[in-house]
mmCIF file of all heavy atoms in Angstrom:
data_model
loop_
_atom_site.group_PDB
_atom_site.id
_atom_site.type_symbol
_atom_site.label_atom_id
_atom_site.label_comp_id
_atom_site.label_asym_id
_atom_site.label_seq_id
_atom_site.Cartn_x
_atom_site.Cartn_y
_atom_site.Cartn_z
ATOM 1 N N TRP A 36 -107.012 42.692 -167.935
ATOM 2 C CA TRP A 36 -107.828 43.652 -168.742
ATOM 3 C C TRP A 36 -107.270 44.973 -168.473
ATOM 4 O O TRP A 36 -106.957 45.441 -167.361
ATOM 5 C CB TRP A 36 -109.257 43.576 -168.387
ATOM 6 C CG TRP A 36 -110.024 42.451 -168.968
ATOM 7 C CD1 TRP A 36 -110.387 41.275 -168.261
ATOM 8 C CD2 TRP A 36 -110.565 42.372 -170.263
ATOM 9 N NE1 TRP A 36 -111.047 40.472 -169.206
ATOM 10 C CE2 TRP A 36 -111.144 41.133 -170.379
ATOM 11 C CE3 TRP A 36 -110.594 43.236 -171.336
ATOM 12 C CZ2 TRP A 36 -111.896 40.648 -171.546
ATOM 13 C CZ3 TRP A 36 -111.206 42.833 -172.539
ATOM 14 C CH2 TRP A 36 -111.839 41.568 -172.626
ATOM 15 N N PHE A 37 -107.097 45.766 -169.544
ATOM 16 C CA PHE A 37 -106.568 47.064 -169.565
ATOM 17 C C PHE A 37 -107.419 48.016 -170.399
ATOM 18 O O PHE A 37 -108.235 47.510 -171.238
ATOM 19 C CB PHE A 37 -105.150 47.121 -170.126
ATOM 20 C CG PHE A 37 -104.229 46.117 -169.421
ATOM 21 C CD1 PHE A 37 -104.208 44.800 -169.847
ATOM 22 C CD2 PHE A 37 -103.373 46.491 -168.440
ATOM 23 C CE1 PHE A 37 -103.470 43.839 -169.286
ATOM 24 C CE2 PHE A 37 -102.535 45.611 -167.831
ATOM 25 C CZ PHE A 37 -102.609 44.303 -168.201
ATOM 26 N N ARG A 38 -107.325 49.262 -170.199
ATOM 27 C CA ARG A 38 -108.137 50.233 -170.989
ATOM 28 C C ARG A 38 -107.358 51.565 -171.226
ATOM 29 O O ARG A 38 -106.435 51.886 -170.503
ATOM 30 C CB ARG A 38 -109.460 50.532 -170.311
ATOM 31 C CG ARG A 38 -109.287 51.313 -169.029
ATOM 32 C CD ARG A 38 -110.688 51.471 -168.296
ATOM 33 N NE ARG A 38 -110.602 52.210 -167.087
ATOM 34 C CZ ARG A 38 -111.600 52.365 -166.255
ATOM 35 N NH1 ARG A 38 -112.727 51.724 -166.545
ATOM 36 N NH2 ARG A 38 -111.439 53.143 -165.243
ATOM 37 N N GLN A 39 -107.688 52.157 -172.288
ATOM 38 C CA GLN A 39 -107.084 53.396 -172.711
ATOM 39 C C GLN A 39 -108.307 54.378 -173.095
ATOM 40 O O GLN A 39 -109.023 54.191 -174.032
ATOM 41 C CB GLN A 39 -106.173 53.260 -173.825
ATOM 42 C CG GLN A 39 -105.490 54.589 -174.200
ATOM 43 C CD GLN A 39 -104.319 54.351 -175.220
ATOM 44 O OE1 GLN A 39 -104.213 53.308 -175.708
ATOM 45 N NE2 GLN A 39 -103.548 55.429 -175.392
ATOM 46 N N ALA A 40 -108.368 55.503 -172.241
ATOM 47 C CA ALA A 40 -109.458 56.406 -172.461
ATOM 48 C C ALA A 40 -109.183 57.286 -173.706
ATOM 49 O O ALA A 40 -108.089 57.290 -174.294
ATOM 50 C CB ALA A 40 -109.533 57.338 -171.248
ATOM 51 N N PRO A 41 -110.229 57.871 -174.297
ATOM 52 C CA PRO A 41 -110.032 58.718 -175.493
ATOM 53 C C PRO A 41 -108.940 59.738 -175.335
ATOM 54 O O PRO A 41 -108.746 60.316 -174.256
ATOM 55 C CB PRO A 41 -111.364 59.354 -175.684
ATOM 56 C CG PRO A 41 -112.386 58.432 -174.969
ATOM 57 C CD PRO A 41 -111.623 57.847 -173.853
ATOM 58 N N GLY A 42 -108.194 59.936 -176.408
ATOM 59 C CA GLY A 42 -107.124 60.920 -176.380
ATOM 60 C C GLY A 42 -105.743 60.128 -176.442
ATOM 61 O O GLY A 42 -105.500 59.343 -175.547
ATOM 62 N N LYS A 43 -105.022 60.405 -177.451
ATOM 63 C CA LYS A 43 -103.769 59.597 -177.611
ATOM 64 C C LYS A 43 -102.786 59.861 -176.578
ATOM 65 O O LYS A 43 -101.847 59.132 -176.442
ATOM 66 C CB LYS A 43 -103.212 59.898 -179.003
ATOM 67 C CG LYS A 43 -102.771 61.294 -179.259
ATOM 68 C CD LYS A 43 -102.212 61.450 -180.595
ATOM 69 C CE LYS A 43 -101.759 62.941 -180.897
ATOM 70 N NZ LYS A 43 -101.257 63.062 -182.279
ATOM 71 N N GLU A 44 -102.933 60.933 -175.844
ATOM 72 C CA GLU A 44 -102.010 61.183 -174.740
ATOM 73 C C GLU A 44 -102.210 60.377 -173.526
ATOM 74 O O GLU A 44 -101.374 60.313 -172.609
ATOM 75 C CB GLU A 44 -102.075 62.696 -174.319
ATOM 76 C CG GLU A 44 -103.258 63.152 -173.508
ATOM 77 C CD GLU A 44 -104.518 63.240 -174.298
ATOM 78 O OE1 GLU A 44 -104.468 63.124 -175.589
ATOM 79 O OE2 GLU A 44 -105.600 63.503 -173.686
ATOM 80 N N ARG A 45 -103.340 59.696 -173.405
ATOM 81 C CA ARG A 45 -103.699 58.864 -172.327
ATOM 82 C C ARG A 45 -102.883 57.537 -172.351
ATOM 83 O O ARG A 45 -102.784 56.879 -173.337
ATOM 84 C CB ARG A 45 -105.196 58.551 -172.245
ATOM 85 C CG ARG A 45 -106.047 59.806 -172.102
ATOM 86 C CD ARG A 45 -105.951 60.505 -170.807
ATOM 87 N NE ARG A 45 -106.820 61.539 -170.572
ATOM 88 C CZ ARG A 45 -108.030 61.381 -170.063
ATOM 89 N NH1 ARG A 45 -108.498 60.270 -169.667
ATOM 90 N NH2 ARG A 45 -108.839 62.459 -169.961
ATOM 91 N N GLU A 46 -102.338 57.173 -171.159
ATOM 92 C CA GLU A 46 -101.749 55.906 -170.957
ATOM 93 C C GLU A 46 -102.742 54.787 -170.682
ATOM 94 O O GLU A 46 -103.886 55.086 -170.169
ATOM 95 C CB GLU A 46 -100.706 55.984 -169.838
ATOM 96 C CG GLU A 46 -99.659 57.050 -170.060
ATOM 97 C CD GLU A 46 -98.596 56.616 -171.040
ATOM 98 O OE1 GLU A 46 -98.483 55.466 -171.311
ATOM 99 O OE2 GLU A 46 -97.881 57.496 -171.565
ATOM 100 N N ARG A 47 -102.365 53.659 -171.007
ATOM 101 C CA ARG A 47 -103.230 52.451 -170.675
ATOM 102 C C ARG A 47 -103.288 52.297 -169.121
ATOM 103 O O ARG A 47 -102.256 52.551 -168.485
ATOM 104 C CB ARG A 47 -102.721 51.277 -171.367
ATOM 105 C CG ARG A 47 -102.934 51.269 -172.828
ATOM 106 C CD ARG A 47 -102.543 49.915 -173.474
ATOM 107 N NE ARG A 47 -102.761 49.984 -174.916
ATOM 108 C CZ ARG A 47 -102.581 48.940 -175.778
ATOM 109 N NH1 ARG A 47 -102.216 47.799 -175.259
ATOM 110 N NH2 ARG A 47 -102.792 49.063 -177.059
ATOM 111 N N GLU A 48 -104.403 51.880 -168.714
ATOM 112 C CA GLU A 48 -104.660 51.666 -167.265
ATOM 113 C C GLU A 48 -105.070 50.219 -167.030
ATOM 114 O O GLU A 48 -105.766 49.634 -167.768
ATOM 115 C CB GLU A 48 -105.810 52.542 -166.830
ATOM 116 C CG GLU A 48 -106.358 52.393 -165.448
ATOM 117 C CD GLU A 48 -107.578 53.161 -165.166
ATOM 118 O OE1 GLU A 48 -108.144 53.680 -166.065
ATOM 119 O OE2 GLU A 48 -108.043 53.081 -163.986
ATOM 120 N N ALA A 49 -104.393 49.720 -166.010
ATOM 121 C CA ALA A 49 -104.819 48.282 -165.670
ATOM 122 C C ALA A 49 -106.130 48.310 -164.927
ATOM 123 O O ALA A 49 -106.420 49.204 -164.091
ATOM 124 C CB ALA A 49 -103.735 47.737 -164.663
ATOM 125 N N VAL A 50 -106.972 47.363 -165.277
ATOM 126 C CA VAL A 50 -108.292 47.257 -164.821
ATOM 127 C C VAL A 50 -108.485 46.045 -163.880
ATOM 128 O O VAL A 50 -108.981 46.187 -162.729
ATOM 129 C CB VAL A 50 -109.342 47.218 -165.919
ATOM 130 C CG1 VAL A 50 -110.767 47.010 -165.333
ATOM 131 C CG2 VAL A 50 -109.219 48.456 -166.814
ATOM 132 N N ALA A 51 -108.134 44.897 -164.355
ATOM 133 C CA ALA A 51 -108.362 43.706 -163.538
ATOM 134 C C ALA A 51 -107.481 42.548 -164.027
ATOM 135 O O ALA A 51 -107.001 42.635 -165.214
ATOM 136 C CB ALA A 51 -109.842 43.235 -163.637
ATOM 137 N N GLY A 52 -107.270 41.611 -163.222
ATOM 138 C CA GLY A 52 -106.445 40.453 -163.699
ATOM 139 C C GLY A 52 -106.935 39.211 -162.982
ATOM 140 O O GLY A 52 -107.591 39.243 -161.907
ATOM 141 N N ILE A 53 -106.616 38.096 -163.563
ATOM 142 C CA ILE A 53 -107.023 36.795 -162.948
ATOM 143 C C ILE A 53 -105.867 35.793 -163.164
ATOM 144 O O ILE A 53 -105.349 35.732 -164.281
ATOM 145 C CB ILE A 53 -108.341 36.262 -163.619
ATOM 146 C CG1 ILE A 53 -108.758 34.994 -162.943
ATOM 147 C CG2 ILE A 53 -108.174 36.063 -165.106
ATOM 148 C CD1 ILE A 53 -110.231 34.582 -163.280
#
Side-chain angles (χ1 to χ4, degrees):
W36 282 98
F37 307 82
R38 67 187 182 188
Q39 184 170 9
K43 62 180 180 180
E44 75 282 357
R45 299 291 186 91
E46 299 289 339
R47 288 186 182 182
E48 174 189 5
V50 177
I53 185 168

